[in-house]
Amino acid sequence: LSLRVAGKRRCEDPSLDVLGALNRLLEYDNPQVRTYVNGTLYSVLTRPALREKGLEMGLPDILQAVLDHSDEMNKRQIEYILPLLT
C-alpha cells in the first residue's frame, strides 16, 4: 500500500501513527520484517508531511542508533533512508 500515492497519502493520517509503528519494528528479530520496515520507510518518507513527522520524532537519531549495531544488509538499507531525512 505504501508504494502507491493513495497509500502514502493514507499513511499521513495521524491517527494511524504509521511512523510510530514502523519505529517499533525497526529492531525486530526477523530480517524479513526489518527489510519490509526499511522499504516502507524509504517509500513513505518521500511525502513531506511524513518526513517532517519523522524529523519531529527524532527518526534520524533512532536510525543512526540502529545502524551502529546492525548487520551489513540492514546497514545498507538504513544508509539509503537517512538522506531522506536531511
Side-chain angles (χ1 to χ4, degrees):
L1 292 173
S2 66
L3 294 177
R4 307 188 88 187
V5 173
K8 290 179 194 179
R9 222 178 284 133
R10 180 79 172 113
C11 289
E12 291 177 346
D13 181 347
S15 69
L16 295 178
D17 191 28
V18 170
L19 291 180
L22 293 171
N23 179 38
R24 289 187 292 278
L25 293 170
L26 274 172
E27 296 186 80
Y28 198 81
D29 289 338
N30 186 320
Q32 291 174 325
V33 171
R34 289 193 310 264
T35 296
Y36 180 81
V37 167
N38 292 336
T40 303
L41 280 172
Y42 187 81
S43 179
V44 300
L45 289 173
T46 61
R47 302 291 296 181
L50 290 168
R51 187 169 42 248
E52 184 178 321
K53 175 68 175 164
L55 291 169
E56 288 172 9
M57 66 186 282
L59 194 53
D61 294 333
I62 294 166
L63 289 172
Q64 189 62 53
V66 172
L67 181 72
D68 291 341
H69 63 274
S70 290
D71 61 49
E72 286 305 311
M73 183 170 64
N74 202 32
K75 281 182 182 181
R76 278 194 309 267
Q77 292 170 359
I78 292 172
E79 288 169 348
Y80 277 96
I81 298 167
L82 282 169
L84 295 174
L85 294 163
T86 56

Short mmCIF file of all heavy atoms in Angstrom, two decimals, residues 24-52:
data_model
loop_
_atom_site.label_atom_id
_atom_site.label_comp_id
_atom_site.label_asym_id
_atom_site.label_seq_id
_atom_site.Cartn_x
_atom_site.Cartn_y
_atom_site.Cartn_z
N ARG A 24 8.71 0.98 16.02
CA ARG A 24 8.69 -0.14 16.97
C ARG A 24 9.19 -1.44 16.33
O ARG A 24 9.62 -2.36 17.03
CB ARG A 24 7.29 -0.32 17.55
CG ARG A 24 6.90 0.80 18.52
CD ARG A 24 5.59 0.53 19.20
NE ARG A 24 4.45 0.59 18.32
CZ ARG A 24 3.82 1.71 17.93
NH1 ARG A 24 4.24 2.88 18.36
NH2 ARG A 24 2.77 1.67 17.13
N LEU A 25 9.15 -1.52 15.02
CA LEU A 25 9.56 -2.74 14.32
C LEU A 25 10.99 -2.67 13.77
O LEU A 25 11.48 -3.65 13.21
CB LEU A 25 8.60 -3.04 13.17
CG LEU A 25 7.18 -3.41 13.58
CD1 LEU A 25 6.27 -3.44 12.35
CD2 LEU A 25 7.16 -4.75 14.29
N LEU A 26 11.66 -1.54 13.93
CA LEU A 26 12.99 -1.36 13.35
C LEU A 26 14.00 -2.42 13.79
O LEU A 26 14.88 -2.78 13.02
CB LEU A 26 13.55 0.02 13.71
CG LEU A 26 13.15 1.16 12.80
CD1 LEU A 26 13.60 2.48 13.40
CD2 LEU A 26 13.69 0.97 11.40
N GLU A 27 13.90 -2.88 15.00
CA GLU A 27 14.87 -3.85 15.51
C GLU A 27 14.25 -5.23 15.72
O GLU A 27 14.76 -6.03 16.50
CB GLU A 27 15.49 -3.33 16.80
CG GLU A 27 16.29 -2.06 16.58
CD GLU A 27 17.02 -1.63 17.81
OE1 GLU A 27 18.09 -2.20 18.07
OE2 GLU A 27 16.51 -0.73 18.49
N TYR A 28 13.19 -5.52 15.01
CA TYR A 28 12.53 -6.82 15.11
C TYR A 28 13.53 -7.91 14.75
O TYR A 28 14.41 -7.73 13.91
CB TYR A 28 11.33 -6.83 14.16
CG TYR A 28 10.33 -7.91 14.47
CD1 TYR A 28 9.40 -7.73 15.47
CD2 TYR A 28 10.33 -9.10 13.76
CE1 TYR A 28 8.47 -8.72 15.76
CE2 TYR A 28 9.41 -10.09 14.05
CZ TYR A 28 8.48 -9.89 15.04
OH TYR A 28 7.57 -10.88 15.33
N ASP A 29 13.41 -9.06 15.39
CA ASP A 29 14.37 -10.16 15.19
C ASP A 29 14.40 -10.70 13.76
O ASP A 29 15.46 -11.06 13.26
CB ASP A 29 14.07 -11.32 16.14
CG ASP A 29 14.40 -10.98 17.59
OD1 ASP A 29 15.21 -10.07 17.82
OD2 ASP A 29 13.83 -11.63 18.49
N ASN A 30 13.27 -10.77 13.12
CA ASN A 30 13.19 -11.36 11.78
C ASN A 30 13.73 -10.38 10.74
O ASN A 30 13.21 -9.28 10.58
CB ASN A 30 11.73 -11.70 11.49
CG ASN A 30 11.55 -12.46 10.20
OD1 ASN A 30 12.20 -12.18 9.20
ND2 ASN A 30 10.65 -13.42 10.21
N PRO A 31 14.76 -10.77 9.98
CA PRO A 31 15.33 -9.86 8.98
C PRO A 31 14.35 -9.50 7.86
O PRO A 31 14.47 -8.44 7.27
CB PRO A 31 16.54 -10.62 8.43
CG PRO A 31 16.38 -12.03 8.88
CD PRO A 31 15.47 -12.04 10.06
N GLN A 32 13.40 -10.37 7.57
CA GLN A 32 12.41 -10.05 6.54
C GLN A 32 11.51 -8.91 7.00
O GLN A 32 11.14 -8.05 6.20
CB GLN A 32 11.57 -11.28 6.19
CG GLN A 32 12.38 -12.34 5.47
CD GLN A 32 11.57 -13.61 5.26
OE1 GLN A 32 10.76 -13.99 6.08
NE2 GLN A 32 11.83 -14.26 4.13
N VAL A 33 11.19 -8.88 8.27
CA VAL A 33 10.38 -7.79 8.82
C VAL A 33 11.17 -6.50 8.75
O VAL A 33 10.65 -5.46 8.32
CB VAL A 33 9.93 -8.10 10.26
CG1 VAL A 33 9.28 -6.88 10.90
CG2 VAL A 33 8.98 -9.29 10.29
N ARG A 34 12.44 -6.54 9.12
CA ARG A 34 13.28 -5.32 9.07
C ARG A 34 13.39 -4.81 7.64
O ARG A 34 13.32 -3.60 7.40
CB ARG A 34 14.66 -5.60 9.66
CG ARG A 34 14.65 -5.78 11.16
CD ARG A 34 16.05 -5.74 11.74
NE ARG A 34 16.99 -6.62 11.06
CZ ARG A 34 17.30 -7.85 11.46
NH1 ARG A 34 16.74 -8.36 12.54
NH2 ARG A 34 18.18 -8.57 10.79
N THR A 35 13.55 -5.71 6.68
CA THR A 35 13.63 -5.29 5.27
C THR A 35 12.33 -4.64 4.84
O THR A 35 12.34 -3.60 4.15
CB THR A 35 13.96 -6.51 4.38
OG1 THR A 35 15.26 -6.98 4.73
CG2 THR A 35 13.94 -6.14 2.91
N TYR A 36 11.21 -5.20 5.23
CA TYR A 36 9.91 -4.62 4.89
C TYR A 36 9.76 -3.24 5.53
O TYR A 36 9.33 -2.28 4.88
CB TYR A 36 8.78 -5.54 5.35
CG TYR A 36 7.42 -5.00 5.05
CD1 TYR A 36 6.86 -5.14 3.79
CD2 TYR A 36 6.69 -4.31 6.02
CE1 TYR A 36 5.62 -4.61 3.49
CE2 TYR A 36 5.46 -3.77 5.73
CZ TYR A 36 4.92 -3.93 4.47
OH TYR A 36 3.69 -3.39 4.18
N VAL A 37 10.13 -3.12 6.79
CA VAL A 37 10.04 -1.85 7.51
C VAL A 37 10.92 -0.80 6.83
O VAL A 37 10.48 0.33 6.58
CB VAL A 37 10.44 -2.02 8.99
CG1 VAL A 37 10.65 -0.68 9.68
CG2 VAL A 37 9.38 -2.83 9.72
N ASN A 38 12.15 -1.16 6.51
CA ASN A 38 13.05 -0.22 5.85
C ASN A 38 12.53 0.21 4.49
O ASN A 38 12.60 1.39 4.13
CB ASN A 38 14.45 -0.81 5.73
CG ASN A 38 15.14 -0.97 7.07
OD1 ASN A 38 14.81 -0.28 8.03
ND2 ASN A 38 16.08 -1.89 7.15
N GLY A 39 11.99 -0.71 3.73
CA GLY A 39 11.42 -0.38 2.42
C GLY A 39 10.22 0.54 2.56
O GLY A 39 10.03 1.48 1.77
N THR A 40 9.40 0.28 3.56
CA THR A 40 8.24 1.12 3.80
C THR A 40 8.67 2.53 4.22
O THR A 40 8.12 3.53 3.73
CB THR A 40 7.31 0.49 4.85
OG1 THR A 40 6.93 -0.82 4.41
CG2 THR A 40 6.07 1.33 5.07
N LEU A 41 9.65 2.61 5.09
CA LEU A 41 10.18 3.94 5.48
C LEU A 41 10.70 4.68 4.27
O LEU A 41 10.42 5.86 4.09
CB LEU A 41 11.30 3.79 6.52
CG LEU A 41 10.86 3.54 7.95
CD1 LEU A 41 12.07 3.22 8.82
CD2 LEU A 41 10.11 4.74 8.51
N TYR A 42 11.46 4.00 3.43
CA TYR A 42 12.01 4.63 2.23
C TYR A 42 10.89 5.17 1.35
O TYR A 42 10.99 6.27 0.80
CB TYR A 42 12.88 3.63 1.46
CG TYR A 42 13.61 4.25 0.31
CD1 TYR A 42 14.79 4.96 0.52
CD2 TYR A 42 13.13 4.15 -0.99
CE1 TYR A 42 15.48 5.54 -0.53
CE2 TYR A 42 13.80 4.73 -2.05
CZ TYR A 42 14.98 5.43 -1.81
OH TYR A 42 15.65 6.02 -2.86
N SER A 43 9.83 4.44 1.26
CA SER A 43 8.70 4.85 0.42
C SER A 43 7.92 6.01 1.03
O SER A 43 7.66 7.01 0.36
CB SER A 43 7.77 3.65 0.20
OG SER A 43 6.66 4.02 -0.57
N VAL A 44 7.54 5.90 2.30
CA VAL A 44 6.66 6.92 2.88
C VAL A 44 7.39 8.22 3.19
O VAL A 44 6.76 9.29 3.23
CB VAL A 44 5.90 6.42 4.13
CG1 VAL A 44 5.03 5.22 3.78
CG2 VAL A 44 6.82 6.12 5.29
N LEU A 45 8.70 8.16 3.39
CA LEU A 45 9.43 9.39 3.71
C LEU A 45 9.63 10.29 2.51
O LEU A 45 10.20 11.37 2.62
CB LEU A 45 10.77 9.05 4.37
CG LEU A 45 10.66 8.51 5.79
CD1 LEU A 45 12.02 8.04 6.30
CD2 LEU A 45 10.03 9.52 6.74
N THR A 46 9.12 9.89 1.35
CA THR A 46 9.11 10.79 0.20
C THR A 46 7.99 11.83 0.33
O THR A 46 7.99 12.83 -0.37
CB THR A 46 8.92 10.02 -1.12
OG1 THR A 46 7.67 9.33 -1.09
CG2 THR A 46 10.06 9.03 -1.34
N ARG A 47 7.05 11.58 1.23
CA ARG A 47 5.95 12.53 1.49
C ARG A 47 6.42 13.58 2.49
O ARG A 47 6.88 13.23 3.58
CB ARG A 47 4.72 11.80 2.04
CG ARG A 47 4.17 10.70 1.17
CD ARG A 47 3.54 11.19 -0.07
NE ARG A 47 2.38 12.01 0.24
CZ ARG A 47 1.62 12.56 -0.68
NH1 ARG A 47 1.89 12.40 -1.95
NH2 ARG A 47 0.58 13.29 -0.34
N PRO A 48 6.32 14.86 2.15
CA PRO A 48 6.81 15.92 3.04
C PRO A 48 6.22 15.86 4.45
O PRO A 48 6.95 16.06 5.43
CB PRO A 48 6.39 17.21 2.33
CG PRO A 48 6.34 16.83 0.88
CD PRO A 48 5.86 15.41 0.87
N ALA A 49 4.95 15.57 4.59
CA ALA A 49 4.32 15.53 5.92
C ALA A 49 4.91 14.41 6.77
O ALA A 49 5.15 14.58 7.97
CB ALA A 49 2.81 15.36 5.80
N LEU A 50 5.18 13.26 6.16
CA LEU A 50 5.75 12.14 6.91
C LEU A 50 7.22 12.37 7.20
O LEU A 50 7.72 12.00 8.27
CB LEU A 50 5.54 10.83 6.14
CG LEU A 50 4.07 10.39 6.10
CD1 LEU A 50 3.88 9.27 5.11
CD2 LEU A 50 3.60 9.97 7.47
N ARG A 51 7.92 13.00 6.26
CA ARG A 51 9.33 13.34 6.51
C ARG A 51 9.42 14.32 7.69
O ARG A 51 10.25 14.14 8.58
CB ARG A 51 9.94 13.94 5.25
CG ARG A 51 11.42 14.16 5.35
CD ARG A 51 12.08 14.51 4.01
NE ARG A 51 11.34 15.44 3.20
CZ ARG A 51 10.74 15.14 2.04
NH1 ARG A 51 10.80 13.91 1.57
NH2 ARG A 51 10.10 16.06 1.35
N GLU A 52 8.55 15.31 7.72
CA GLU A 52 8.53 16.27 8.83
C GLU A 52 8.23 15.57 10.15
O GLU A 52 8.88 15.83 11.17
CB GLU A 52 7.50 17.35 8.56
CG GLU A 52 7.45 18.44 9.59
CD GLU A 52 6.44 19.52 9.25
OE1 GLU A 52 6.32 19.88 8.07
OE2 GLU A 52 5.77 19.98 10.18
#
